[in-house]
């Protein structure tokens, strides 16, 4: 195992040298009204998740390769 922040070895993910489990949930922001994004992210965090999975849905308008409106994500 090396000194990288994240590393993988012996079928275990390590963060700063300690075993680490990713706890994630998905939010399809394009299916949720923008006024509710912050609430949904807070609920996800309250459930113990520390990672958010999302994707750009088909039909989501693009501007320069990015959705026109996406949630501001912060810890």
């Amino acid at each position: 195992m090396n000194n990288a922040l994240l590393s993988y070895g012996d079928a275990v993910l390590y963060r700063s040298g300690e075993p680490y489990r990713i706890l994630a949930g998905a939010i399809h922001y394009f299916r949720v009204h923008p006024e509710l994004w912050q609430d949904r992210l807070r609920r996800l965090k309250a459930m113990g998740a520390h990672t958010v999975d999302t994707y750009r849905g088909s039909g989501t308008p693009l501007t320069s390769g990015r959705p026109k409106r996406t949630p501001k994500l912060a810890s």
Side-chain angles (χ1 to χ4, degrees):
M1 185 169 51
N2 60 32
N3 292 330
L5 179 62
L6 288 176
S7 58
Y8 183 80
D10 299 322
V12 177
L13 180 65
Y14 294 91
R15 182 177 178 192
S16 299
E18 297 293 323
Y20 186 71
R21 177 178 280 179
I22 295 174
L23 301 174
I27 295 178
H28 302 159
Y29 68 91
F30 53 90
R31 294 183 177 169
V32 178
H33 193 279
E35 291 178 5
L36 298 175
W37 289 345
Q38 187 174 29
D39 173 71
R40 297 310 187 259
L41 290 169
R42 285 184 178 154
R43 288 175 185 234
L44 192 62
K45 185 176 181 179
M47 292 175 12
H50 50 67
T51 305
V52 177
D53 173 33
T54 193
Y55 64 94
R56 184 187 71 82
S58 62
T60 303
L62 292 177
T63 303
S64 300
R66 294 179 164 226
K68 286 185 178 180
R69 185 156 187 208
T70 57
K72 288 184 180 180
L73 302 177
S75 57

